[in-house]
Amino acid sequence: MADMLTQDKAISIVDAIKTIYASDTYRKLENESTKAWHLGPTALYQDMVASSK
């Protein structure tokens, strides 16, 4: 996901990781009941981009 962010948003890898950790998608990953950990990186990235709009 960090790689996708660096390419799509032209940001550094550090900023991409900070963005991921601050996202609603990451909160879903932390919550085991959402089962978001089962999704692949592309689906997680799409969720993160969609929820940031």
Side-chain angles (χ1 to χ4, degrees):
M1 287 176 47
D3 257 354
M4 292 177 207
L5 265 177
T6 60
Q7 292 174 13
D8 289 348
K9 306 291 183 186
I11 60 175
S12 72
I13 191 74
V14 172
D15 287 338
I17 292 169
K18 287 178 183 179
T19 300
I20 291 167
Y21 281 130
S23 70
D24 289 335
T25 300
Y26 188 77
R27 283 189 268 303
K28 290 178 191 174
L29 284 168
E30 289 182 311
N31 183 351
E32 189 174 328
S33 67
T34 65
K35 305 227 186 282
W37 48 266
H38 186 61
L39 299 171
T42 302
L44 289 169
Y45 182 76
Q46 290 172 344
D47 179 73
M48 187 176 65
V49 170
S51 67
S52 70
K53 290 182 179 180

